[in-house]
């Protein structure tokens, strides 16, 4: 059992390392607000101006935060001509990896609590 715990701990450490930028990106309240707007929007994407209207942020501020989210693998973007559409995608982002790390931590905490 100790070996299994050690393996899980190593997986958690690796998961934190792999998801560090994503955790940092989603830790910011402004970016959380943008994520909520993306979750409420059409999954095909939403433009910066629309996000700015819904969040009462400036377009440059929204663009800055979207760039951080995109670089962290949290938000995806598609281009149609000169227009950029930002969206959340389970396939194109790091959400699965984040979920796996959180699930592993939760399972470990539950295991420790039962001991």
């Amino acid at each position: 059992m100790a070996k299994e715990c050690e393996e899980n701990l190593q997986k958690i450490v690796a998961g934190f390392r792999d998801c560090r930028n994503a955790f940092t990106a989603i830790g910011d309240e402004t970016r959380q607000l943008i994520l909520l707007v993306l979750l409420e929007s059409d999954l095909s994407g939403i433009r910066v101006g629309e996000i700015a209207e819904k969040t009462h942020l400036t377009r440059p501020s929204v663009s800055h935060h979207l760039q951080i989210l995109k670089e962290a693998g949290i938000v995806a973007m598609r281009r149609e001509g000169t227009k950029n559409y930002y969206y959340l995608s389970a396939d194109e982002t790091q959400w699965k990896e984040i979920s796996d790390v959180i699930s592993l931590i939760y399972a470990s905490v539950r295991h420790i609590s039962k001991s």
Side-chain angles (χ1 to χ4, degrees):
M1 192 55 108
K3 184 176 188 214
E4 182 182 334
C5 290
E6 182 62 31
E7 288 173 1
N8 282 347
L9 185 59
Q10 292 304 316
K11 288 178 186 176
I12 292 169
V13 169
F16 273 143
R17 183 182 58 246
D18 294 344
C19 296
R20 179 174 289 130
N21 289 342
F23 282 125
T24 300
I26 63 177
D28 181 87
E29 286 183 40
T30 300
R31 290 190 281 275
Q32 291 170 10
L33 178 60
I34 291 170
L35 289 172
L36 290 172
V37 169
L38 291 172
L39 284 166
E40 293 172 348
S41 71
D42 178 2
L43 294 178
S44 66
I46 185 171
R47 297 185 58 210
V48 170
E50 295 172 85
I51 297 170
E53 287 177 22
K54 293 181 180 205
T55 59
H56 305 292
L57 297 168
T58 64
R59 289 173 61 103
S61 178
V62 170
S63 292
H64 168 74
H65 288 290
L66 283 170
Q67 186 62 33
I68 292 169
L69 290 167
K70 187 174 163 227
E71 288 173 358
I74 298 298
V75 169
M77 182 200 71
R78 70 179 168 75
R79 185 166 289 161
E80 284 185 16
T82 60
K83 298 176 183 176
N84 296 329
Y85 292 87
Y86 293 88
Y87 59 98
L88 298 173
S89 166
D91 297 329
E92 300 174 50
T93 59
Q94 203 167 9
W95 288 108
K96 173 75 169 93
E97 291 83 2
I98 293 168
S99 175
D100 290 346
V101 171
I102 298 298
S103 294
L104 192 53
I105 293 168
Y106 180 68
S108 297
V109 170
R110 286 188 51 111
H111 177 75
I112 292 168
S113 298
K114 292 178 181 177
S115 300

